[in-house]
Amino acid sequence: MNDAPAVPACSRKYIIIGAVAGGASAAARLRRMDEKAIIILFEKSDYISYANCGLPYYIGDIIKERQKLFVQTAASFTKRFAIDVRVCTEVKSIDTDTKSITATNLITGETYTETYDKLVLSPGAEPVRPPLEGIGLPGIFTLRNVVDTDTIKSYVQKFPAGKAVIIGAGFIGLEMAENLHQLGMQVSIIEMGNQVLAPLDFSMAAIVQQHIRSKGISLYLSTSVTGFEKDKNGLQVILNGSEALLADVVILSIGVKPDTRLAIQAGLKIGKAKGILVNQFLQTSDPHIYAVGDAIEFENPITGTSVTTFLAGPANKQGRICANNIVFENKYPYNGSIGTAIVKAFDLTVGTTGLSAKNLKANGIDHLLSTTYSGSHAAYYPGSEQMNIQLVFAPVTGLLLGAQVVGTKGVDKRIDLLASVIKNGGSIFDLTEIEHAYAPPFSSAKDPVNIAGFTAENILLKRMNAFYCDDVSSLGKNNFIIDVRTEKEYKEGRINNAINIPLDDLRGRLKEVPIDRDIYVYCMIGLRGYMASRILMQNGFEKVYNLSGGYQLWFTANEEKELAILKSEAKLERVLEI
Ligand code: FAD
């Protein structure tokens, strides 16, 4: 919307519940748009508008000054925005009939009511704490706010070279693993799923897993924590009901759930994803109450299903949009989030946006997939690093549905570019032409995003047929597999039953390739395989497939799969012994 409607003349009273990402954003925007309003911001903790996303890095001493976590204080916010900020005050109930709330000052115990014209709910989410035996034992923490952070930080200081067990290998789990490792702790990660970072597809997660292990982290995948015990040696984390891991500190990071207590009490509608239901203007089922952030659910723009999103960017933007809608009466629709996220996992950066291939498969959405490796910038300029880009896209139209990027440098700008193409309904054809700023220290004349687009276009237009890591195990003796790398590379490791015809020899050795069989070619990362498949396809070979992501991606994913099998066999043996 370009033309801002006029601000209503009479002064109105706005109440906001929750004063961090969504709430503080809404409050500041309300003031900027409505100078005359009475605005009261309630926050049950001591702190407002702080950097939750920085908390793991403060624990790990990367952020050294605690003060830096606080973007605003109650006093500075009041001074700047003329907002009545009430910290340590919990809103206990909402009465939609009288348009009032009841709040309790958590220090004095005083309880009182306040009326409102419009109310904004931004209570966030709460960490999941399953009712496992021993979960209340000292040393077991969740991380959500500043108090949790201070508690964890002072606790871990008692164990400078101690043992940390992180339960859950999501974004916060990996950040905590890195930060506790950085403090000199011995870190183990326990994850119930068969991979880290659930939004990623397995082969991309496999790269992260290998990297984490290379840093000395013990990674227990497909492993459940069934309880905690305290014995003479200390705190024991019980795995799968049998094994135990000794821990000085345990961080539970197995997920969060929307805080809907007030919404439920107020009789607001809750959706299928268990978040507060809002319309496109972020208005709840009560027209005088808006809601934003982790507590709400909203339609995913790609699937159309209602989902929760636990990310700071959407919460902040929703805060601004909802304030606009309150002041200007529902003129600014929210378009939803495609879950664009990024995390630092030791030396790797991992970015994801849109849907994963496994998610599309689970939703029965037809899709194609391509994986490419490219340098973060021109190879001839020092310091270029490989990054891996995976795209998922619709057959026929090429509509881009999701992307994942794993690498060390330049991942952030690529994932952001890809996210904006998806958000704008763009296709892989748009990627082939995406215009980027180029000089050798920053990119190549063909950016990794262009390369990813070219490859996807080749797949879509059947100029190259792809096969994938998961397909390799089903290739048998009847399939003709050609390793087009050099003899040296081939000798160092190859896919079973592959014969070696280096790319540069292929034209002269076409007679060795059977015309009547399906041909599977591969190289290290997919590029030479693509060129080989073009030579074969233009020499009368009809069914030629190139391994997407190449030997390197297959090897990594396969190693991770074999490791998982070995571990489950080892477990089985132990069980049989018992
Ligand atoms: P919050 O920011 O959590 O604010 C909710 C506030 O409401 C809380 O302060 C709570 O005390 C208050 N409240 C609740 N109920 C009441 C009540 N009844 N009365 C008064 N006050 C109440 N996201 C990213 O995108 N990138 C990251 O790198 C990232 N890192 C994170 C790291 C950590 C450790 C954590 C915990 C989260 C991280 N997030 C990250 C998620 C991001 O912080 C949240 O998505 C975002 O803060 C949600 O905003 P919100 O306003 O909905 O809730």
Side-chain angles (χ1 to χ4, degrees):
M1 298 289 298
N2 291 326
D3 303 323
V7 178
C10 59
S11 71
R12 297 205 288 173
K13 187 170 171 188
Y14 307 131
I15 283 182
I16 297 130
I17 302 172
V20 189
S25 241
R29 180 72 179 170
L30 278 170
R31 171 55 75 225
R32 287 194 295 268
M33 294 300 107
D34 191 347
E35 180 62 17
K36 301 281 179 238
I38 298 161
I39 305 176
I40 309 175
L41 181 57
F42 285 98
E43 171 55 53
K44 68 179 175 187
S45 76
D46 270 346
Y47 308 96
I48 71 155
S49 194
Y50 60 85
N52 327 41
C53 310
L55 300 178
Y57 298 98
Y58 171 64
I59 293 173
D61 266 351
I62 303 282
I63 299 171
K64 300 227 179 281
E65 290 166 54
R66 186 174 179 277
Q67 202 47 40
K68 292 235 155 107
L69 296 171
F70 303 101
V71 184
Q72 289 277 0
T73 62
S76 68
F77 207 71
T78 302
K79 196 164 180 212
R80 171 72 46 92
F81 295 104
I83 286 173
D84 181 353
V85 182
R86 302 188 189 170
V87 290
C88 302
T89 307
E90 182 170 0
V91 175
K92 297 282 193 185
S93 62
I94 302 169
D95 185 336
T96 52
D97 292 335
T98 56
K99 286 172 68 183
S100 65
I101 58 105
T102 303
T104 300
N105 182 317
L106 299 175
I107 296 167
T108 63
E110 182 202 358
T111 294
Y112 55 91
T113 59
E114 283 286 354
T115 55
Y116 60 82
D117 292 312
K118 297 286 176 202
L119 179 78
V120 178
L121 268 175
S122 187
E126 2 170 44
V128 175
R129 253 186 110 89
L132 296 174
E133 211 178 321
I135 193 139
L137 284 168
I140 304 172
F141 304 98
T142 52
L143 173 61
R144 185 70 202 165
N145 52 37
V146 178
V147 174
D148 298 341
T149 305
D150 289 338
T151 314
I152 295 170
K153 192 165 171 86
S154 64
Y155 196 87
V156 296
Q157 275 164 359
K158 294 187 218 157
F159 307 97
K163 291 184 168 63
V165 173
I166 314 285
I167 306 174
F171 290 85
I172 295 176
L174 293 197
E175 286 179 351
M176 282 307 295
E178 180 178 349
N179 279 287
L180 294 180
H181 177 266
Q182 142 92 12
L183 290 178
M185 298 190 86
Q186 238 177 290
V187 179
S188 304
I189 305 176
I190 321 292
E191 167 57 55
M192 202 161 79
N194 68 343
Q195 64 166 77
V196 301
L197 298 173
L200 295 187
D201 285 310
F202 184 83
S203 52
M204 301 297 274
I207 304 170
V208 185
Q209 287 163 201
Q210 295 214 332
H211 180 69
I212 291 172
R213 287 204 186 88
S214 77
K215 296 290 174 183
I217 305 294
S218 305
L219 190 55
Y220 296 74
L221 297 170
S222 306
T223 304
S224 303
V225 170
T226 47
F228 304 90
E229 284 170 13
K230 181 103 186 165
D231 64 16
K232 61 179 187 332
N233 299 316
L235 180 61
Q236 303 279 1
V237 182
I238 315 297
L239 309 181
N240 297 326
S242 51
E243 275 176 81
L245 264 187
L246 192 60
D248 294 307
V249 60
V250 173
I251 308 289
L252 259 181
S253 51
I254 56 174
V256 293
K257 55 176 192 231
D259 183 346
T260 49
R261 278 170 299 189
L262 270 179
I264 291 171
Q265 171 279 320
L268 303 181
K269 277 194 185 145
I270 302 298
K272 279 191 185 147
K274 304 216 173 349
I276 304 170
L277 214 54
V278 291
N279 65 14
Q280 60 177 328
F281 303 110
L282 300 168
Q283 197 173 26
T284 67
S285 51
D286 180 307
H288 303 291
I289 304 178
Y290 290 70
V292 297
D294 287 1
I296 68 164
E297 61 176 80
F298 200 86
E299 251 182 38
N300 177 295
I302 307 171
T303 60
T305 44
S306 195
V307 292
T308 47
T309 302
F310 304 119
L311 291 169
N316 274 276
K317 286 157 206 158
Q318 289 161 12
R320 187 175 194 276
I321 292 169
C322 116
N324 286 343
N325 284 324
I326 288 174
V327 176
F328 303 120
E329 294 177 359
N330 291 356
K331 299 247 169 7
Y332 297 83
Y334 174 61
N335 295 319
S337 158
I338 53 170
T340 307
I342 193 160
V343 67
K344 177 177 176 309
F346 294 86
D347 304 336
L348 285 182
T349 308
V350 183
T352 168
T353 182
L355 301 178
S356 61
K358 67 180 175 196
N359 193 322
L360 288 163
K361 200 169 164 195
N363 282 292
I365 302 173
D366 218 7
H367 61 278
L368 295 169
L369 186 147
S370 92
T371 311
T372 44
Y373 282 89
S374 309
S376 54
H377 61 252
Y380 58 82
Y381 186 90
S384 173
E385 303 271 358
Q386 290 285 306
M387 77 175 73
N388 193 321
I389 300 186
Q390 182 187 283
L391 304 180
V392 280
F393 49 99
V396 187
T397 61
L399 187 73
L400 190 59
L401 300 170
Q404 296 167 16
V405 187
V406 179
T408 50
K409 282 184 183 171
V411 169
D412 50 351
K413 74 170 168 176
R414 273 59 185 225
I415 201 71
D416 286 348
L417 266 178
L418 292 160
S420 40
V421 171
I422 298 176
K423 205 68 202 280
N424 290 317
S427 73
I428 53 133
F429 300 108
D430 296 311
L431 300 183
T432 64
E433 288 199 31
I434 219 157
E435 189 168 316
H436 66 291
Y438 159 62
F442 306 104
S443 180
S444 298
K446 290 174 189 153
D447 188 78
V449 168
N450 297 134
I451 302 281
F454 298 149
T455 306
E457 184 190 56
N458 283 334
I459 292 174
L460 185 65
L461 301 180
K462 298 206 180 316
R463 289 176 188 143
M464 180 185 84
N465 303 310
F467 73 108
Y468 302 99
C469 298
D470 283 349
D471 302 326
V472 172
S473 58
S474 54
L475 296 182
K477 287 198 172 129
N478 295 331
N479 302 113
F480 198 77
I481 312 170
I482 314 176
D483 184 328
V484 296
R485 297 175 302 162
T486 61
E487 199 181 329
K488 181 172 176 289
E489 287 174 290
Y490 175 79
K491 281 189 174 151
E492 280 167 4
R494 59 190 166 271
I495 291 175
N496 270 347
N497 302 320
I499 62 145
N500 182 220
I501 308 180
L503 173 64
D504 294 340
D505 300 345
L506 184 59
R507 286 188 184 88
R509 293 176 60 182
L510 286 176
K511 285 207 176 83
E512 295 172 39
V513 184
I515 195 87
D516 54 345
R517 282 168 71 183
D518 293 359
I519 315 293
Y520 292 83
V521 295
Y522 71 87
C523 63
M524 199 53 147
I525 59 169
L527 179 61
R528 282 173 288 172
Y530 160 57
M531 293 191 255
S533 76
R534 290 303 299 158
I535 293 172
L536 291 164
M537 287 167 86
Q538 292 178 81
N539 275 285
F541 296 87
E542 278 176 11
K543 292 188 177 163
V544 184
Y545 303 88
N546 178 34
L547 179 59
S548 188
Y551 181 80
Q552 190 169 309
L553 188 64
W554 169 79
F555 186 78
T556 306
N558 195 48
E559 263 201 340
E560 285 298 309
K561 269 193 187 148
E562 284 186 352
L563 199 63
I565 293 167
L566 280 177
K567 283 198 170 162
S568 56
E569 277 173 2
K571 271 181 212 155
L572 188 66
E573 275 165 25
R574 273 201 300 278
V575 172
L576 292 177
E577 276 165 22
I578 295 165

